[in-house]
Amino acid sequence: MICDTVLTQQAHDSAASHLLRHVNAGQMQEDLCFALWRPSTGAKRTSAIVFEILLPAPDERTLHGGASFEPSYLTRAVRLAMRSGAGLAFMHNHFTGGWQDMSVPDVIAERDRISPAARATGFPLVGLTLGTDQSWSARFWIWDGDTFNRNWCKKVRVVGRRFQVTFKDRPVSQQHRLLFRTVDTWGDECQRDISGLHFGIVGVGSVGCVIAEALARMGVEQLTIIDPDRIEAHNLDRLLYASQEDIGCLKVDLVSRHAKRSATATKFKIITYSSPIQNEQTLAAALDCDILFSAVDLPLPKDLLNHIAFAHCIPVVSGGIFIDNKPNGTLGQAAWGVTTVGPMFRCLRCDGQYTSSDVVLEVDGSLDKPAYIRHLAETGQIPRNQNVFPFSANLATSMVIEMIRLVIADTWWPDRAGRQHYSMIPNRLDVKSLKCNEHCSVKEKAVLGDDFKYPFLQATTHQDPTSESVIKRFLGKCECFLIRLLSFRRDR
């Protein structure tokens, strides 16, 4: 099992302010504190979400160049962790930057003094060290029945208005000829951050396939793509690389094949899931990602991704397109928007991108019922799927640019707004920073991790897709033939 640690921006700011205050004042003095964390368990990774810092009272620790805690402080921290159903984390600082190793006293303190007490919480102790540049290092202390073993985290993430990541083993520089111009654009350090992150794309239709292409060409090393759909004839005018020969094929297979061909990373790995995000196994795969792209239209997957962003502290970059036609069938308006979702940002539901009733209608199958579709048509609420490739490509690149801004932002950059809305006809871009509604139930589930249980998950089932694929390929080719026949007759 891979281990990672993630801190909310508030937890990071509180811990850094306490641990580095002596260093920032010019003193060679360490400090320490305890914190609480909850697990976020994916298919191959467990992340510790650090959400609350337990600052020491004046009499609970002693400063002597190094720092030591009193037994009463440890006892109080364990009790608070047990009361919250959370794990215990121990934090201290060092006098250098970057990923920090451990001294012998550090190991003794965490392994022999704190880990036995932390077992009472039912979770491993998570130890964290903060460098002078506010980089974190972290490890899990796992009991094997005889002793506590140190399991180093692969990375530590700070999730807020900026995305900060520290790698234990930072990806090797990829300044070979395929990435020469990319590295020249933002430098080797930023490129290694982007390369080392695990990205996920939910929905690889007209928008998601362009996102996948962009990430592959940028040198991303690990990518997960999720989409249950197969290619149909009406996808061919918008789906990158799709042709008539691909009708009936899974979209994830098409995108995977071409992403591998376009990849510029020395080691590129793409994982595909041809099942909905609300499938238990697929959700677990999404929780292995560091940043997710939402390129879906239906309310149920939007709702689940919305909750993932808050409960599991995985930023979600969401995008959508709206097109309105005049009565004569010509274009009346086209607009698309990019929204960053997660703690410190407005959720998708408060942003008006779907409602709870929309989710219920999808769950009970109403969105697929002809009577309900007729009702929507009569009331003018029927969902529209109009789109053209340039609109999809523009939205996809805007979403990738938002991710780039999130990952490589320097401290002097202004805060990201969270939502960008582009209207084509007036040619206007609106950028806004909005918060969730006061009693938002999604916001209330922030940092719950595994304690959040999504009510509409589907159990994993295994079916042979061969017959379905053959049928869809046959029907797709019939559709293409009819379209060509009608075009031929019209031309004559």
Side-chain angles (χ1 to χ4, degrees):
M1 176 66 73
I2 298 171
C3 295
D4 272 5
T5 297
V6 56
L7 295 89
T8 64
Q9 188 69 57
Q10 295 93 330
H12 167 81
D13 291 344
S14 177
S17 176
H18 169 71
L19 296 176
L20 296 179
R21 60 177 179 165
H22 306 291
V23 175
N24 292 336
Q27 305 171 20
M28 296 295 288
Q29 174 62 59
E30 292 184 3
D31 213 328
L32 55 78
C33 64
F34 288 101
L36 304 182
W37 68 274
R38 294 191 181 102
S40 170
T41 307
K44 298 181 179 179
R45 179 181 77 175
T46 296
S47 296
I49 305 175
V50 179
F51 64 93
E52 184 177 350
I53 308 302
L54 307 176
L55 297 177
D59 60 347
E60 288 184 327
R61 56 92 164 82
T62 304
L63 303 179
H64 41 74
S68 55
F69 58 86
E70 298 299 322
S72 59
Y73 186 21
L74 174 58
T75 301
R76 176 170 72 91
V78 170
R79 285 176 177 171
L80 288 172
M82 294 175 65
R83 191 180 305 164
S84 302
L88 184 68
F90 175 69
M91 301 174 157
H92 72 285
N93 69 293
H94 281 174
F95 300 129
T96 56
W99 189 276
Q100 303 292 309
D101 206 344
M102 301 181 71
S103 66
V104 173
D106 291 341
V107 172
I108 293 173
E110 293 188 6
R111 183 190 62 197
D112 301 335
R113 293 192 61 193
I114 308 174
S115 289
R119 280 193 70 195
T121 68
F123 298 103
L125 171 71
V126 174
L128 296 101
T129 309
L130 181 65
T132 52
D133 58 355
Q134 300 199 13
S135 295
W136 290 97
S137 58
R139 53 263 163 201
F140 282 42
W141 290 96
I142 299 176
W143 176 251
D144 67 359
D146 183 49
T147 187
F148 292 97
N149 297 299
R150 179 178 59 189
N151 189 343
W152 282 104
C153 293
K154 298 294 184 183
K155 69 176 85 72
V156 180
R157 295 164 281 143
V158 177
V159 176
R161 290 198 171 273
R162 290 183 175 86
F163 184 93
Q164 175 186 320
V165 59
T166 312
F167 295 94
K168 181 181 185 299
D169 298 309
R170 201 166 190 175
V172 177
S173 173
Q174 299 188 47
Q175 288 198 49
H176 53 71
R177 60 182 180 84
L178 298 183
L179 278 165
F180 183 76
R181 297 297 187 187
T182 300
V183 175
D184 275 357
T185 300
W186 45 58
D188 181 64
E189 185 174 340
C190 291
Q191 178 61 31
R192 286 187 288 168
D193 284 348
I194 292 173
S195 297
L197 292 174
H198 184 172
F199 294 95
I201 307 172
V202 183
V204 286
S206 60
V207 175
C209 64
V210 178
I211 295 173
E213 177 72 9
L215 296 178
R217 291 185 181 274
M218 286 167 54
V220 167
E221 294 183 351
Q222 193 164 10
L223 177 62
T224 293
I225 56 175
I226 297 168
D227 196 315
D229 293 339
R230 295 178 180 274
I231 300 167
E232 300 180 50
H234 65 263
N235 301 137
L236 298 184
D237 63 339
R238 291 167 292 114
L239 192 60
L240 185 66
Y241 299 125
S243 65
Q244 293 184 27
E245 288 71 25
D246 298 309
I247 292 174
C249 294
L250 289 165
K251 290 181 179 178
V252 291
D253 289 344
L254 174 77
V255 173
S256 173
R257 184 168 69 250
H258 287 279
K260 290 176 182 177
R261 188 192 66 180
S262 302
T264 55
T266 305
K267 298 178 181 178
F268 177 69
K269 180 180 181 182
I270 184 167
I271 307 166
T272 62
Y273 285 84
S274 57
S275 50
I277 181 66
Q278 58 268 27
N279 177 285
E280 289 179 348
Q281 184 181 26
T282 313
L283 170 61
L287 297 182
D288 285 343
C289 299
D290 300 316
I291 295 176
L292 289 166
F293 289 92
S294 171
V296 292
D297 295 322
L298 292 173
L300 179 57
K302 276 189 178 181
D303 184 53
L304 178 50
L305 285 163
N306 200 23
H307 283 87
I308 288 174
F310 282 82
H312 293 274
C313 289
I314 300 175
V316 173
V317 180
S318 178
I321 298 174
F322 170 79
I323 297 174
D324 189 26
N325 294 113
K326 294 180 180 180
N328 63 3
T330 60
L331 180 64
Q333 174 60 289
W336 46 92
V338 179
T339 306
T340 305
V341 188
M344 301 185 70
F345 292 103
R346 188 181 182 118
C347 83
L348 293 176
R349 193 166 65 190
C350 290
D351 202 43
Q353 298 196 26
Y354 71 93
T355 66
S356 297
S357 60
D358 294 334
V359 177
V360 174
L361 289 170
E362 183 179 349
V363 171
D364 69 15
S366 293
L367 295 184
D368 297 322
K369 295 177 180 177
Y372 184 72
I373 296 298
R374 284 197 302 272
H375 167 72
L376 291 180
E378 293 167 359
T379 59
Q381 302 177 58
I382 189 167
R384 293 181 170 92
N385 292 315
Q386 309 103 308
N387 196 3
V388 293
F389 185 79
F391 294 172
S392 299
N394 190 297
L395 174 61
T397 52
S398 296
M399 292 169 69
V400 174
I401 289 170
E402 175 65 5
M403 177 277 294
I404 293 171
R405 182 179 176 85
L406 174 67
V407 173
I408 73 172
D410 206 341
T411 53
W412 61 270
W413 290 23
D415 283 340
R416 293 164 30 259
R419 187 181 75 174
Q420 302 173 25
H421 184 269
Y422 174 72
S423 298
M424 176 185 173
I425 305 304
N427 190 26
R428 185 178 68 242
L429 177 65
D430 296 319
V431 181
K432 294 183 179 180
S433 180
L434 301 170
K435 295 182 179 180
C436 280
N437 300 330
E438 184 177 357
H439 300 293
C440 172
S441 62
V442 178
K443 180 178 65 176
E444 292 171 355
K445 296 178 179 67
V447 304
L448 286 181
D450 292 345
D451 288 346
F452 168 69
K453 306 297 182 184
Y454 192 67
F456 304 124
L457 284 186
Q458 302 172 355
T460 301
T461 57
H462 300 282
Q463 299 178 342
D464 181 8
T466 305
S467 58
E468 179 189 2
S469 176
V470 171
I471 293 171
K472 287 211 170 189
R473 279 176 176 269
F474 174 74
L475 292 177
K477 291 184 182 299
C478 290
E479 183 179 358
C480 283
F481 174 76
L482 289 173
I483 291 172
R484 286 186 169 186
L485 179 61
L486 290 172
S487 298
F488 175 75
R489 293 185 62 183
R490 185 168 56 248
D491 292 341
R492 288 179 62 93

